[in-house]
Amino acid sequence: MRAAKQFLTREYVDRLNASPFFLLVDYKGLSVLQFTGLRKRLSAAGAEVHVVKNSVFRLAAKEAGLPDLAGALNGQMAAVTGQKDISVAAGF
């Protein structure tokens, strides 16, 4: 595995282990302005959204001990993690 992919995988393993929740979202159809607005609203709610390659997230989830997510990782996906209430992050 390339060093850059290893670094990204490790970063997402750390994020998954540090967060009490994660959400996978399909951001297809959002403009850059809309996605930036989503990032700002999530940040105010104590959460972050990151676009991540499905293959990298699949490896990170496996390394973090999560169930196989292969069926859920299709298309343009982004991962939401946070330290506060999941219901606030899920409401966006």
Side-chain angles (χ1 to χ4, degrees):
M1 183 184 322
R2 292 187 340 230
K5 192 171 184 177
Q6 286 177 332
F7 175 79
L8 287 173
T9 302
R10 181 80 250 151
E11 180 180 338
Y12 276 93
V13 169
D14 293 344
R15 284 185 193 281
L16 289 170
N17 287 331
S19 178
F21 69 88
F22 75 94
L23 302 168
L24 295 175
V25 296
D26 182 351
Y27 66 94
K28 183 179 174 184
L30 289 181
S31 69
V32 172
L33 185 62
Q34 290 169 323
F35 196 81
T36 301
L38 176 62
R39 279 184 198 259
K40 288 179 183 178
R41 290 191 310 272
L42 285 169
S43 178
E48 298 179 348
V49 61
H50 296 273
V51 174
V52 60
K53 291 183 78 167
N54 293 341
S55 60
V56 170
F57 196 81
R58 186 177 299 116
L59 286 171
K62 183 177 179 179
E63 286 185 32
L66 297 172
D68 183 21
L69 298 173
L73 298 172
N74 296 312
Q76 297 176 317
M77 302 300 294
V80 178
T81 57
Q83 296 302 316
K84 295 186 178 178
D85 187 7
I86 187 175
S87 63
V88 175
F92 294 112

